[in-house]
Amino acid sequence: MNKYWKSGDPFVWLTGVALMFSLLMIAGLMYLIAAKGLGFFWPSDLAEVKLKDGSVFLGEITSHEKAKLHNSEGEDIFVERTQLKIGNRDLYGLDFKWIDDDNIESTTYPKYAVALERREWGNMYGFIKQISEGGNVVCTGNEDCWPVLEAQLPVYSSIYEEIKGIEKGEIGGINREIENLRLKIRGEEMGSKNQEKISRLEARVKEEEAKYQEQEKKLTALYSEFGKEVITMTSIDGRDKEMPLGNVVRAYRPNSLSWFGKASLYVSKVWEFVSTEPREANTEGGVFPAIFGTILMVLIMSVVVLPFGVLAALYLREYAKQGTLVRIVRICVNNLAGVPSIVFGVFAVGFFIYGIGSTFDSIFFKEALPNPTFGTGGILWASLTLALLTVPVVIVATEEGLAAVSKEIRDGSLALGATKFETTWKIVIPSAMPAILTGLILAIARATGEVAPLMITGVVKLAPQLPVDGYFPYLHLERKFMHLGFHIYDVGFQSPNVEAAKPMVFTTALLLILIVVVLNLTAIIIRNRLRKKYTTSAV
């Protein structure tokens, strides 16, 4: 037995079992997130549930559980119950309802029950009573109105896109130009006080205001067109609800859809999720601004952390005289990797935002004061904070890669007449590039999921503008941004509608994992190609 333990076989089995359990836990976690997240977009059938007391509900069956309750005598009893997403929040005041299975008399699936996805108040489940325009009834009844609804929804969708295009495009550009002109006027008043130039700027402001009035008239006409037709829905319990047809995002009858019809609807919902803005307190709609903000922040962080981390590692390994001071620096770098991320966030607020940012404002943007430009949270400061957070990882990985470059290669380069710098730049760094990219991969993996430091350095619940647009200088590093990690926190813990937010939490978490995987795979592919290119054989 003693010989068996000394052979090391038990430890091999132990490490194998530990690896197996780790992989099982990862697979289980991914399965849970994928099952909960991907199923969110599938159009579930609408169930009509009749209770023994005569009440009736219509909605999607979302969950089933055995609940532990207490009877009048204090004894524990177990009750099977079903969760129904009844929608119609503006009628019922809630989206979900738990129903005891013992109280259910029957469950049927009306073939032509209609589900409406709305821009406000969540989903509406029921039947179409009528569609009217300007007080005149266009059609009545569920079956007669369905073709009309299908034909009109694309029209109102295009009107909605045109409205948003004007609000964010033309009107947004005019407002931006007016604000820039007003800042220039204030700058002149604070500086040279050139009245002729001020008058020209004020005239340009009036021209822009006239353009604004024209766009506002156009917008008013579109809004009147947007609300011209009204649809009246009847809930399963006979309540009527009127709403503008433009308020409807999507309409479908899930009980009458084929599998291919549901699959097509599923794809359209997934595309909406990744390409549109959120609505309904971030519990519905898409997460495109959060995707964009997350990727842009990681790219800025990578551009900053890679050169600084590599230069620091080069100095410590190649140029610094090895001794007590260098050992202390290495210990400090290693300890920085274990500092809580919120500490870096607090440091960033004091150093970047209140220090550097406020200084920038006082020098370059003094006409905008007291409104801060860079002296407040933004994507630049958030990216620099994460660069500070991850630079120790890059330094350590780069040092390991530099140490792995053999002495014979260095000596051969020097013997051929290359200088120390040429050897480092053309021989050592390319040979250590796989290790450098390994450090970058680890930095990306950690930075993408960080939330705590971002909450105080620029991330917001809903960003009205993306950090990139068509106006000079095109990349606006001072703007606040959305982030998938913070979006998960906001939807999961700050949402006023917890049950409705649960699927969005899993879906966004799955999307964040996929983005991390894609970013890491890209870096891994580049690393492997460089490793093949610079692999040398011992002679």
Side-chain angles (χ1 to χ4, degrees):
M1 189 66 181
N2 190 33
K3 183 179 179 180
Y4 175 71
W5 281 102
K6 288 183 177 180
S7 68
D9 289 343
F11 298 102
V12 174
W13 282 101
L14 181 63
T15 54
V17 171
L19 176 61
M20 180 189 69
F21 276 108
S22 299
L23 293 176
L24 286 175
M25 286 189 290
I26 293 172
L29 177 62
M30 291 301 300
Y31 174 78
L32 174 65
I33 294 175
K36 295 285 188 179
L38 295 177
F40 172 58
F41 300 109
W42 189 260
S44 301
D45 290 342
L46 295 179
E48 180 182 342
V49 180
K50 293 183 179 179
L51 305 186
K52 294 177 180 178
D53 61 2
S55 55
V56 59
F57 299 95
L58 179 68
E60 303 175 15
I61 297 176
T62 55
S63 181
H64 188 81
E65 69 176 16
K66 180 182 286 187
K68 182 180 179 181
L69 304 175
H70 301 283
N71 59 16
S72 57
E73 299 176 357
E75 298 176 346
D76 294 340
I77 58 173
F78 292 91
V79 176
E80 297 280 348
R81 62 179 187 172
T82 299
Q83 187 185 50
L84 197 67
K85 182 180 180 181
I86 58 176
N88 305 2
R89 192 189 317 144
D90 43 352
L91 295 180
Y92 303 137
L94 70 162
D95 281 294
F96 295 84
K97 184 176 182 62
W98 284 100
I99 301 173
D100 293 343
D101 290 356
D102 293 339
N103 295 332
I104 297 177
E105 180 179 309
S106 64
T107 301
T108 58
Y109 294 87
K111 186 175 182 180
Y112 298 114
V114 177
L116 300 183
E117 293 182 17
R118 301 181 289 179
R119 305 188 194 279
E120 297 177 349
W121 297 106
N123 288 2
M124 177 82 185
Y125 302 130
F127 302 89
I128 305 174
K129 182 178 181 180
Q130 67 178 30
I131 295 177
S132 58
E133 179 180 353
N136 300 319
V137 176
V138 176
C139 62
T140 58
N142 197 65
E143 292 308 300
D144 291 339
C145 290
W146 179 250
V148 177
L149 179 61
E150 282 189 311
Q152 290 300 105
L153 280 184
V155 176
Y156 285 100
S157 178
S158 63
I159 294 175
Y160 179 79
E161 294 299 326
E162 188 176 357
I163 289 173
K164 291 301 176 184
I166 292 175
E167 289 178 343
K168 291 188 175 183
E170 287 83 350
I171 288 182
I174 292 171
N175 286 334
R176 183 179 179 82
E177 183 63 22
I178 290 175
E179 182 63 22
N180 289 337
L181 290 171
R182 286 175 176 169
L183 290 177
K184 289 180 181 179
I185 291 172
R186 189 178 180 194
E188 287 295 325
E189 292 174 346
M190 295 171 61
S192 61
K193 298 182 179 179
N194 188 331
Q195 291 298 325
E196 183 179 352
K197 188 173 182 179
I198 291 174
S199 298
R200 288 200 303 268
L201 292 172
E202 288 177 343
R204 289 181 58 189
V205 169
K206 291 181 179 179
E207 291 176 3
E208 294 298 324
E209 288 177 345
K211 294 179 182 178
Y212 180 89
Q213 295 296 330
E214 293 178 5
Q215 294 297 328
E216 193 174 40
K217 291 178 181 177
K218 186 177 180 180
L219 200 60
T220 302
L222 285 173
Y223 268 115
S224 64
E225 186 74 18
F226 191 64
K228 187 167 62 174
E229 287 187 279
V230 175
I231 182 172
T232 304
M233 293 288 293
T234 301
S235 65
I236 194 66
D237 57 356
R239 304 189 198 184
D240 290 343
K241 174 63 181 179
E242 290 186 354
M243 69 196 82
L245 205 53
N247 191 38
V248 180
V249 178
R250 183 184 287 109
Y252 56 96
R253 298 191 288 190
N255 297 353
S256 62
L257 284 175
S258 64
W259 186 91
F260 290 102
K262 290 186 177 182
S264 175
L265 187 58
Y266 180 88
V267 171
S268 69
K269 285 187 174 185
V270 172
W271 174 247
E272 179 190 42
F273 178 71
V274 298
S275 64
T276 61
E277 296 180 352
R279 61 177 190 270
E280 287 288 311
N282 290 350
T283 59
E284 295 181 15
V287 291
F288 175 75
I291 297 173
F292 190 90
T294 302
I295 295 176
L296 181 61
M297 182 202 68
V298 171
L299 291 177
I300 297 173
M301 181 274 299
S302 301
V303 169
V304 174
V305 75
L306 191 61
F308 278 97
V310 172
L311 289 173
L314 276 172
Y315 179 79
L316 290 174
R317 177 60 60 177
E318 302 292 327
Y319 294 99
K321 183 178 180 180
Q322 304 301 311
T324 304
L325 181 60
V326 172
R327 286 197 297 271
I328 292 174
V329 170
R330 284 199 178 97
I331 292 172
C332 292
V333 169
N334 291 330
N335 287 338
L336 274 177
V339 174
S341 59
I342 190 63
V343 176
F344 285 93
V346 173
F347 170 79
V349 170
F351 181 72
F352 290 134
I353 297 177
Y354 294 152
I356 299 177
S358 297
T359 303
F360 278 4
D361 287 351
S362 61
I363 296 174
F364 302 106
F365 304 99
K366 55 186 177 181
E367 65 274 4
L369 293 174
N371 295 326
T373 304
F374 281 93
T376 184
I379 193 169
L380 174 62
W381 305 135
S383 302
L384 292 181
T385 303
L386 293 184
L388 281 179
L389 180 68
T390 56
V391 73
V393 178
V394 178
I395 292 174
V396 172
T398 303
E399 273 208 84
E400 293 295 330
L402 295 173
V405 180
S406 65
K407 187 175 183 298
E408 288 79 3
I409 296 177
R410 301 169 188 263
D411 292 343
S413 175
L414 294 173
L416 291 172
T419 63
K420 172 75 171 176
F421 174 78
E422 289 173 335
T423 300
T424 302
W425 181 253
K426 296 185 178 181
I427 303 297
V428 177
I429 291 180
S431 300
M433 190 59 69
I436 294 173
L437 289 178
T438 298
L440 180 62
I441 292 167
L442 296 174
I444 289 173
R446 182 177 182 188
T448 307
E450 282 292 346
V451 176
L454 304 181
M455 295 171 67
I456 53 178
T457 56
V459 75
V460 290
K461 178 185 179 73
L462 183 63
Q465 294 175 311
L466 294 176
V468 176
D469 59 21
Y471 302 102
F472 184 83
Y474 310 117
L475 178 61
H476 305 276
L477 297 177
E478 78 282 0
R479 288 183 183 173
K480 298 185 183 297
F481 68 105
M482 294 181 67
H483 184 271
L484 286 172
F486 181 77
H487 189 78
I488 294 170
Y489 162 76
D490 175 68
V491 173
F493 298 97
Q494 303 295 318
S495 173
N497 195 345
V498 178
E499 290 293 337
K502 280 183 182 180
M504 185 66 75
V505 171
F506 287 105
T507 307
T508 310
L510 179 62
L511 181 60
L512 180 58
I513 292 172
L514 291 177
I515 289 176
V516 173
V517 170
V518 169
L519 291 174
N520 285 346
L521 282 178
T522 303
I524 288 170
I525 291 171
I526 296 174
R527 181 189 66 183
N528 291 341
R529 289 184 176 179
L530 290 173
R531 181 175 291 162
K532 290 180 181 179
K533 181 178 180 180
Y534 292 107
T535 297
T536 57
S537 301
V539 179

